[in-house]
């Protein structure tokens, strides 16, 4: 249940970022602004996906530990 909740929370955050970025892209007045918004979007996505992977590994390790199985490195 905790894993599912975590994934749903992450998806919600990413959708919010997608909507925010879409609005920012639509308000760009030149290509430099557009490139900047896109670069920020990609960097934030990388950061969020990296952090989420870490959280999911932690949750998986907790579940494995409870089941008496070895951890994921």
């Amino acid at each position: 249940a905790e894993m599912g909740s975590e994934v749903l929370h992450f998806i919600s955050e990413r959708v919010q970022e997608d909507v925010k970025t879409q609005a920012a892209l639509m308000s760009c007045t030149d290509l430099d602004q557009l490139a900047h918004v896109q670069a920020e979007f990609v960097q934030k996505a990388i950061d969020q996906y990296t952090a989420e992977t870490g959280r999911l590994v932690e949750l998986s390790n907790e579940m494995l530990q409870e089941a008496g199985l070895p951890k994921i490195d």
Side-chain angles (χ1 to χ4, degrees), residues 1 25 28 31 36 38 47 50-52 54-55 59 66 70-71:
L25 288 170
C28 290
L31 291 177
H36 180 73
Q38 286 179 324
D47 293 345
T50 300
E52 183 64 14
R55 284 193 290 275
L59 290 173
E66 290 173 9
K71 290 175 141 185

Side-chain angles (χ1 to χ4, degrees), residues 22-34:
Q22 183 180 26
L25 288 170
M26 292 175 65
S27 69
C28 290
T29 57
D30 60 46
L31 291 177
D32 288 338
Q33 280 183 319
L34 183 78

